[in-house]
Amino acid sequence: MKKIKLLLIFLVACFSLVGCASNNSQTEENTGEKVIFKSTISPNEEYVSSKDEIVNQTIKITQNEEGEIFVEASSNSAFFEKMSYSVEYYKEIDEKDVEVKWLTLMGSDKPSKENQLCVADIIIKDGAEVVSERKVNFAKKAIETIVEDITSEQ
């Protein structure tokens, strides 16, 4: 079991290091929505030899005129499909109400070449009250592919 865990970590790191084919889908801008928060990181930028291999991960939070909050996660990695969800909270929020903590697969906020940032913990607050907290795993599809390959070989 320990060997499989180590193998999974190693393979995820390798996938992120070799760069993934670009997923150049254009983002549809929704009319009537105000961008509240946007954060983009590049977890492998300092570990790749070419700009083509750089992976970008983005969290964007908008709010429409009615007050509904929309969270969108996107990446240029072939191992991540753009996803979004909405939060039914009809009070106006601003950037100070949003916190995104970037974490590694192992839960650390201290990345390394072997353990890069790939999880966004998205927290939306109203003062001290947590309105929504959700984690987005940008490596989930890569892990599922690896696990599927390992289990099919056995």
Side-chain angles (χ1 to χ4, degrees):
M1 186 65 169
K2 191 173 184 179
K3 286 184 181 180
I4 290 176
K5 266 188 180 176
L6 289 172
L7 177 64
L8 286 174
I9 292 169
F10 174 75
L11 290 174
V12 168
C14 287
F15 280 124
S16 62
L17 291 176
V18 296
C20 303
S22 182
N23 231 5
N24 287 327
S25 60
Q26 293 294 327
T27 307
E28 264 184 47
E29 291 299 323
N30 295 323
T31 57
E33 289 184 5
K34 177 177 136 185
V35 176
I36 303 297
F37 178 90
K38 188 172 183 179
S39 174
T40 300
I41 65 161
S42 179
N44 71 340
E45 186 171 20
E46 55 189 85
Y47 309 117
V48 296
S49 57
S50 155
K51 285 186 178 185
D52 295 337
E53 298 173 342
I54 295 174
V55 172
N56 292 305
Q57 301 167 346
T58 301
I59 299 295
K60 180 172 128 180
I61 299 174
T62 59
Q63 189 169 31
N64 67 15
E65 293 169 351
E66 290 80 35
E68 191 170 9
I69 301 166
F70 298 95
V71 180
E72 181 182 291
S74 60
S75 176
N76 64 330
S77 169
F79 292 106
F80 186 78
E81 291 179 23
K82 181 176 160 181
M83 57 111 15
S84 62
Y85 63 93
S86 63
V87 178
E88 293 185 18
Y89 188 73
Y90 298 99
K91 293 182 183 176
E92 193 172 325
I93 64 167
D94 60 29
E95 188 173 7
K96 71 174 176 32
D97 299 318
V98 178
E99 180 181 359
V100 175
K101 297 178 187 175
W102 291 98
L103 305 167
T104 66
L105 259 183
M106 303 309 276
S108 173
D109 61 353
K110 306 279 189 270
S112 66
K113 185 175 180 178
E114 295 78 22
N115 194 19
Q116 297 174 13
L117 299 173
C118 64
V119 176
D121 185 9
I122 305 159
I123 304 162
I124 301 171
K125 295 180 180 182
D126 183 2
E129 176 191 356
V130 174
V131 174
S132 171
E133 181 171 6
R134 188 164 173 180
K135 288 184 170 75
V136 174
N137 185 341
F138 285 87
K140 183 178 178 185
K141 190 174 174 184
I143 294 168
E144 289 172 351
T145 302
I146 293 166
V147 170
E148 188 176 292
D149 289 345
I150 290 171
T151 56
S152 69
E153 288 177 9
Q154 294 178 353

